[in-house]
Amino acid sequence: MGVFSRITDIVNSNLNSILDRAEDPEKMVRLIIQEMEDTLVEVRTTTARAIAEQKQVERHKRHAESEVSDWERKAQVAVDKGRDDLAKAALLEKRRANEKAEQLGAELTVLAETLDKLSSDTQGLQAKLKDAKARQKSISIRAKTARTQIGIRRRLGDNNVNDALERFEQYERKLDDLEGEVNAYDLAQRTLSEQIDELEVDEELSEELAELKSRRAQSTSDKNA
């Protein structure tokens, strides 16, 4: 496939359509980028050759135009010397040089058009390449995220995870039992002195409560008197 055909195919291609049809978008993007980069190198090489050829043709055209002027001058000299035969021969050479200059001019026109097309296609190719590289980063991130999510879901659906959760619950129940035993042990260790102290505190509170009730009752009686 020629370079111009490949450039046209790539520049006119729809990346979204290509990726939608691809079984492995990540791999397809890598292949597209590789193809674009290879084509871009070839385009630049072709452009360099075309520029070099353009410069060479321009030199030949200038030389042919110089020959036209030179044969014109020689024809004039021959006429001045009365040598019509030499003048005709000089004019024939002038015509040939002029035809060559015109042919070279036509070649320069074609080369200029070719370079314009190469420049335009190169810009389009670079834009596609930039787009593809941006897509590559996005697709790579999405692919890694999807693979991670699939792995997580597979692990969550694995019986080993469920078994581990059940073992956690068993350990928690055992800890609850141990903590209950500790609390029961602490209650059983209360001393007789502590229990009597509590009774004394309770008796004091009861007496204080009785006094409060008595004062409230007396206050109420005084107000009603």
Side-chain angles (χ1 to χ4, degrees):
M1 183 183 294
V3 62
F4 289 107
S5 177
R6 283 215 307 279
I7 292 175
T8 302
D9 290 344
I10 292 173
V11 171
N12 294 333
S13 65
N14 187 317
L15 291 182
N16 286 330
S17 177
I18 294 174
L19 296 177
D20 286 343
R21 298 195 306 268
E23 293 182 2
D24 186 349
E26 202 172 3
K27 179 180 179 181
M28 181 56 67
V29 169
R30 287 198 301 270
L31 292 175
I32 291 172
I33 289 175
Q34 184 63 53
E35 175 69 11
M36 288 180 177
E37 289 177 340
D38 291 344
T39 304
L40 191 57
V41 169
E42 190 170 352
V43 170
R44 286 170 175 166
T45 301
T46 301
T47 301
R49 286 200 298 265
I51 291 173
E53 185 176 355
Q54 183 185 46
K55 291 180 178 179
Q56 183 177 16
V57 172
E58 287 175 345
R59 286 196 300 271
H60 290 166
K61 184 173 180 294
R62 286 195 298 271
H63 179 70
E65 290 171 345
S66 177
E67 285 188 329
V68 170
S69 299
D70 190 45
W71 285 116
E72 171 72 18
R73 182 187 60 78
K74 289 179 179 178
Q76 291 176 359
V77 171
V79 169
D80 292 342
K81 299 297 183 181
R83 296 292 304 271
D84 290 350
D85 56 332
L86 293 179
K88 288 181 179 179
L91 291 174
L92 179 60
E93 292 299 327
K94 173 190 171 183
R95 179 179 296 180
R96 289 172 180 171
N98 192 56
E99 290 175 352
K100 185 176 180 180
E102 290 177 353
Q103 180 183 356
L104 292 171
E107 289 182 19
L108 284 174
T109 299
V110 173
L111 282 171
E113 291 174 353
T114 299
L115 286 171
D116 285 343
K117 183 172 180 5
L118 281 170
S119 177
S120 175
D121 287 341
T122 299
Q123 291 176 3
L125 183 57
Q126 288 174 331
K128 286 281 187 177
L129 180 58
K130 182 179 180 180
D131 183 28
K133 287 184 175 181
R135 299 284 185 86
Q136 182 184 32
K137 185 176 181 180
S138 174
I139 288 174
S140 177
I141 292 173
R142 289 170 58 191
K144 290 177 181 177
T145 301
R147 285 194 291 267
T148 301
Q149 290 175 335
I150 290 174
I152 291 172
R153 281 161 176 72
R154 285 176 179 171
R155 291 188 181 93
L156 289 176
D158 196 338
N159 289 331
N160 291 333
V161 174
N162 295 329
D163 292 342
L165 293 175
E166 289 180 2
R167 288 196 296 273
F168 273 119
E169 292 177 359
Q170 291 175 2
Y171 295 148
E172 287 175 344
R173 287 195 294 269
K174 288 182 178 180
L175 287 173
D176 289 339
D177 293 341
L178 289 173
E179 289 173 349
E181 291 181 13
V182 171
N183 292 332
Y185 179 80
D186 289 341
L187 289 174
Q189 294 299 314
R190 291 172 62 194
T191 64
L192 178 62
S193 176
E194 290 173 341
Q195 295 180 51
I196 293 173
D197 288 341
E198 288 181 1
L199 291 174
E200 289 178 347
V201 171
D202 185 64
E203 183 178 358
E204 290 174 357
L205 291 174
S206 296
E207 290 176 355
E208 188 175 347
L209 179 60
E211 289 178 4
L212 178 61
K213 287 181 178 180
S214 177
R215 288 196 302 272
R216 293 297 296 168
Q218 183 65 40
S219 175
T220 302
S221 177
D222 292 341
K223 288 180 180 180
N224 294 330

